[in-house]
Every structure is written in C-alpha cells, then in structure tokens.
Amino acid sequence: MGARRGLRRGQAAAAAFSACPFLALAVVLLALPELAAGDTHYYTFNVQMTNVTRLCVTKSIPTVNGEFPGPKLVVREGDRLVVKVHNHINYNVSFHWHGVRQLRNGWADGPSYITQCPIQGGQSYVYDFTVTGQRGTLWWHAHFSWLRVHLYGPLVILPKRGEGYPFPRPYKEVPILFGEWFNADTEAVINQALQTGAGPNVSDAYTFNGLPGPTYNCSSKDTYKLKVKAREGRTCSRLHQLRPQTNELFFGIANHTLTVVEADASYVKPFTVSTLVISPGQTMNVLLTTAPSPASPAYAMAIAPYTNTQGTFDNTTAAAVLEYAPTPPPVATRNNTLPPLPALPLYNDTGAVSNFSRNFRSLNSARYPARVPAAVDRHLLFTVGLGTDPCPYTNQTCQGPNGTKFAASVNNNSFFRPRTALLEAHYRRRYAGVLLGDFPTAPPHPFNYTGTPPNNTFVQHGTRVVPLRFNASVELVLQGTSIQGAESHPLHLHGYNFFVVGQGFGNFDPVNDPPGYNLADPVERNTISVPTAGWVAVRFLADNPGVWLMHCHFDVHLSWGLSMAWLVNDGPLPNEKMLPPPSDLPKC
C-alpha cells in the first residue's frame, strides 16, 4: 500500500479523469433565519449507529441524530452555542468545532486527549461556547480516531443583525460538504494499517453531502441536485464549501465561474475562478451567479483529487448536477446520467494549486482589518512529513517501506497519545508523566529537506509541547520534506487563526525569503496546506490561553503522529486567564 491511500485494482489512470471534477457535493437550500445577536442556541447530538446504503452496500455507521452528514448548525456572530452530546455507541467520541477560536475555553474545543478525555459509551458532555469575531462557514466533526469520516456537518455563522455582507447579498445559502464513502468499516481500516505498518485501504467513493453520484456503479439514484433559477445579473447562491476528509480536491461547475469571498470564516478580497482547490479542514464561501438565459437546463458539478504522493490513492471522480428551474431537465438528467463534466486540472498539477492559492488576500478594510503581527517574538521552523518506525515483531517484517512501519512527525517528533488530557494536566499543573515542555523548535537534524532524504528515517515519539507566554507574537515556518515522498500537508491550528505571510517551493531561505512576505493583507486562515516540496510561513498572536493542537488533516497522517501542541500560558489580567473546567468534563 502507499503512504496515504491506495488506487483500487482496475481503476482507470488519472489522466482519464482530467476533465472530471473531484468534489463530491450535496447542497441544502437554506433560508436566512431571523436570529437575534447574542441568542443562545441549544442542540442535542445523539450519537448512534444507523444503517446507511451507498454503492449497493448497507452498513451501520456512527451518525448524529441518524443523519449522514450530520445536522446543520446556524448562528450569528456573538451567539452562544450549547450542544449536549449523548454517546450511544461502543466507540469513544468527542466533537471539535473546527475553526471556532474558543477564547479562554479550550474545554469546548474537543480533540480527544488534548482538551478533554473522550466521551465514553453511555456518557454525555455539554459543549458550551460563544462565537466571537467570526462570520462565514465553519464545520463540526468528531475528533477521535477516524470517526469524522461519518460524523461531520456544517456550522454557518451569519453576520450580526444589520451588519450585512461585504459582497452582494445572495438569494440562497447552500452548504456543500465534500466527503468520502468506505464500503469497509473505517475503524477496521485504520486499525489494520496501524498493525501492519502499511498505508490504509482507500475510500470507495467521494461524496457531495454524503451522495456519491452517477460516476460510480450502483449510485445513480444517490446524486445530489442543486436547483437554481435563471436570474439576470443576480447572485443566486452562496455555496458553503467544506472539506472534511482525506484528499485535496479540485471542484468546478461546467460553464460557470465561482467568486471566492470568504475562507475559514474570514472575508477575503473577492476573486473569480473556474476551478476551486480545497484541502481537508478548509472551508470557503463562494458566490454562484446563474446565467440569465442558460444554454442548457442542467450542468455537471464535479470533484477530483489533487495529490503528488508516490503511493496509491483513490483516483475517482464524484459528480452532482446543477439544474435550472422551472425548465424541465433534459431526458438524460431525468434518467440519472450526466451532462458534460467540467474540465479540471490533472491530479498532480501543483502549478494549478499554487496559482489558486496566490489569489487569497484578506479584505483588510476599516471594518475587517488584517491585524498581522509586524514584530515577532518567537521564530520557529517545523519540518512536517513522513518517516518510519522499526517493525516491532521479532523475525517478521512490516508492510511499510523496507519492512518498517509508516510514521509521521513534526521536527522528527511523532505525537504520542498521553494518558490524560493535556489541558486538564496544564490547568491542574500536573505535568509529570503526561507532557514535556521541550518540543524542538527547529529540526534536530538539519538536512536538504526537499532533496535527497537522509538514510535514517526513524522518528522519535513523545508528548511534547511548545510553551508560549501570553501575547507573544509567533512566526512559524512549516517546511515540507521529501522523506517517503514529497506531498502537501494541510496543517490545522486549533484555537487560533493565523496569517499566511509567505510560501514557496524548495527549502525556506531565512535570509532571502522574508523580504518577500506579504505583511499588508495576508489571508487569515485556520488550515493551510504546506506546498508539495515547499514551505509556508504564518504569523499569529498567542492571545488565547490553553493547550492547542496543531496537526495534519489527512486522517492517516494524524494517526501516524503528525501533530504537536502549543501551551499558551495565562496573562496577568482576569480576562486573560483560562476559564475553569465544567463539572461534567469527561474522565479518562
């Protein structure tokens, strides 16, 4: 098996899909609710097993309230969200509200063994938090093992009442979630991979809001259809794009363009493209302006993978349909076949990805300024990538490279799960046996990171954190490596947004690269892909006390240990200190 995902036997070559978009997408039309700013919204999540059928395979999967994908949460900026979770399944579970800053309130952040012990079967926990200073689209997902393959949903944050949008008000709001479907039990998939040391088996389909669509066998009835109206010069829909799982994706709609206006719940300077690139963990809002006199009553939407992995991967295409109403769809669409697919870049077109990424700039207006730190207190360099572990079995070989097991690391430190939650250990100052504050802030063994890899690719293991004083300004350079093959890595930082001030290919040059930084209007994000065989530089202000996970959003890389944590100490003022833990905090 490959380092991240496997190409199924008999799958057509990637070039055959160069005209097919890779996104699986389903849309829910959403009328804008009349929410009062500062409202409290109560939700109940019953985590239960539910029989779901896709690709003519019926299996029991974890769901929230029996829904796949899970329920849509809609709030306004400044609202309080209270979600009571009841775990009725045999797996432990926790939930992360991806991108919500959780100011002083890491207890509601959700990653298991970082900010909480997981919710065990038969137990409950209440996530109670306020959305502050954010507007746009985020999402929620399980944060234990691979349960987020099934447990995820949209979190739509509307502006405060009367504030409006810094772009034309859309006629409709449509959440679109790109996901994956496995015919196999995903917990069995990752458990087998961790035992053998090989890359895990890959998904059987990509999905639009849980639906694979007609490009897969036995799936034509499970096709998402977005119905729109022809409108002269009017923005029809704001599409909330969410990418939960494993691959980076290209997405397009045949004969239509899309205008990007927001990324990771932060407004951006609008730009218009025919193809989007979205990485696992990222969200975007895009405007779709319908044609006043469409040449066809139906157009195909599609997603297709971007990857440069040297291993195998799921090289399939998922499709959905954009239908104009009230014109009846053509006979082909009524019969669940597709109109022509949009042209998408080749699966390994790093240039297309780079060109798309360069478009992002913060809005940086008087109302929405880009508060990027101008001066820096801490400079750090993290290498991110794959590695290996020796095979633990006597007189046996594992199925990873050269008989080893696949691993992943940051600065050669592969994260080791602690015995209790790091946040609770920090709050109670009980660090012994749980964590160490000596995470390496530079590569321990420098080498040509994007060139020939070193002979020794074994990683170290540990639960180590980087301590930061409150309000320290941080510049972090994330450097990709070529160990076990160069590929991009979508890195997500919990509890914070950061500004992407620079990026490039090859090895970061600390002398020649910083003068080219964008410190005027860099994009603000919570998830960024480290370019294939390249680097990205980000800055943030450590103004949110607690313990915050940073990790690759490829599920298997997280399982292999590509993560670390920041420990941000309290500030001197009462409103700069962590809140106390809730009384129902789960125990390990």
Side-chain angles (χ1 to χ4, degrees), residues 211-223:
L211 300 174
T215 59
Y216 300 98
N217 291 332
C218 195
S219 187
S220 60
K221 65 180 179 60
D222 291 324
T223 300

Side-chain angles (χ1 to χ4, degrees), residues 68-84:
F68 173 65
K72 174 179 70 263
L73 310 184
V74 183
V75 299
R76 287 194 184 274
E77 179 189 352
D79 284 354
R80 179 186 173 201
L81 196 55
V82 180
V83 183
K84 186 165 188 177

Side-chain angles (χ1 to χ4, degrees), residues 471-494:
N471 258 352
S473 55
V474 178
E475 179 178 303
L476 170 65
V477 176
L478 297 162
Q479 173 70 62
T481 74
S482 59
I483 298 175
Q484 308 306 331
E487 55 183 306
S488 61
H489 295 276
L491 269 292
H492 170 52
L493 176 59
H494 288 229

Side-chain angles (χ1 to χ4, degrees), residues 307-329:
T307 181
N308 270 285
T309 178
Q310 295 182 9
T312 51
F313 62 99
D314 184 352
N315 189 25
T316 62
T317 295
V321 177
L322 178 74
E323 286 188 353
Y324 278 83
T327 307

